[in-house]
Amino acid sequence: MFFANFPTLVYSLDGGKTNFIMTDFFRRVVATTNSLLTSTAYDQYTITDGETPDILADKLYNDSTLYWVILLANNIIDPRYDWPLPNNALSQFITDTYGSGNELNIHHYVNTFGDVVPSTYTSTAITSVTNTDFELSNNEAKRLISVIKPQFVPVFVKNVNGLLATGS
């Protein structure tokens, strides 16, 4: 379990009269290709529609509980929105975010270089980007991630546990 190696802390809601020992879930380890493993320990992976972190961990590492390794290696804090949504959930997200009937409204405009510009921009031709196109593009950009090669996962886990234990 991800939080098993986190340190604990004493917490009180009443000025110290009653103390609780709880997991210090505020502790955060940030993984970069230079900090916990060398960049050669990673592969690029494209997430398929409907693939979740635990499914991917099971597929790559034969252990779905190592989902946190994938999230941490990619600095994914909120898997609900930092991980690509399945197509059906993405459609609902777009409707919920922009309102029913507004999915095809213009979100912004881009020039021929792909830069966001105001609708009054006249230097070059501009193209409108709908709310749906914007969210689809953002979702697709989340599909390419770095995954730790299976043979390096034990080293990664050991390094993370060491960082958590020392508070570094």
Side-chain angles (χ1 to χ4, degrees), residues 2 5-7 27-29 159-168:
F2 179 62
N5 294 305
F6 276 56
R27 185 71 55 109
R28 182 153 186 263
V29 175
N159 287 347
V160 168
N161 288 339
L163 289 170
L164 288 170
T166 63
S168 299

Side-chain angles (χ1 to χ4, degrees), residues 99-150:
S100 182
N102 297 317
E103 297 88 349
L104 297 178
N105 286 358
I106 295 171
H107 187 275
H108 64 273
Y109 296 89
V110 294
N111 64 15
T112 54
F113 304 108
D115 301 320
V116 176
V117 295
S119 62
T120 56
Y121 190 74
T122 57
S123 254
T124 62
I126 61 171
T127 304
S128 62
V129 177
T130 67
N131 293 327
T132 296
D133 290 338
F134 174 72
E135 295 299 342
L136 283 170
S137 178
N138 282 347
N139 201 55
E140 286 305 305
K142 296 173 188 176
R143 291 198 183 279
L144 185 62
I145 62 170
S146 295
V147 294
I148 298 170
K149 294 176 183 176

Side-chain angles (χ1 to χ4, degrees), residues 39-71:
S39 60
T40 58
Y42 294 83
D43 282 326
Q44 294 294 299
Y45 183 87
T46 303
I47 300 165
T48 61
D49 192 48
E51 206 165 35
T52 61
D54 56 319
I55 290 171
L56 183 55
D58 189 56
K59 179 178 178 179
L60 296 175
Y61 310 132
N62 296 317
D63 185 348
S64 64
T65 66
L66 291 175
Y67 67 91
W68 63 269
V69 170
I70 295 165
L71 298 177

Side-chain angles (χ1 to χ4, degrees), residues 13-24:
L13 297 171
D14 58 7
K17 294 176 187 169
T18 308
N19 294 322
F20 299 93
I21 296 176
M22 61 181 280
T23 300
D24 183 5

